[in-house]
Amino acid sequence: MCLAVPGKVLSIENNKGVIEIGNMRREVFMHLLPDAKVGDYVLVHAGCAMQTIDEEEAKITLELIKELAEDEIH
C-alpha cells in the first residue's frame, strides 16, 4: 500500500525543500511542484512533494495517521 503524508513547507532551495510532518523535518524533492511556496502544505510520497493541499485537509489527515499509529501500539 502506498501512502502520501501531508507536511508543511518550511524552506525551498533549488528543487529541494524542508518539510515538517508532525514533529519531524525531512528534506524532499520539490521539482513536481514548481509553484509551491514556504507555508504551503504538500503531500509527500517517496521523498517527493506531489500535490499541494489546504491546511485543514492536512491537519485532518495527520490526526487520522496519529490515531492509527496509537491504535497499532495498543
Side-chain angles (χ1 to χ4, degrees):
M1 173 172 65
C2 296
L3 179 66
V5 180
K8 184 176 183 178
V9 179
L10 300 178
S11 66
I12 302 172
E13 188 171 326
N14 298 319
N15 282 325
K16 290 187 179 179
V18 175
I19 307 298
E20 184 175 59
I21 301 169
N23 61 356
M24 299 182 304
R25 293 182 179 190
R26 296 288 185 256
E27 188 174 77
V28 300
F29 291 104
M30 299 293 293
H31 61 281
L32 298 175
L33 299 175
D35 296 330
K37 55 192 176 302
V38 172
D40 284 350
Y41 282 83
V42 296
L43 289 178
V44 177
H45 173 69
C48 294
M50 302 183 69
Q51 178 181 343
T52 57
I53 61 171
D54 66 37
E55 182 175 358
E56 185 63 26
E57 178 90 13
K59 288 181 178 181
I60 290 169
T61 303
L62 286 170
E63 186 60 34
L64 288 171
I65 292 170
K66 181 180 174 184
E67 288 176 21
L68 288 171
E70 288 172 354
D71 286 346
E72 190 68 27
I73 293 171
H74 300 301

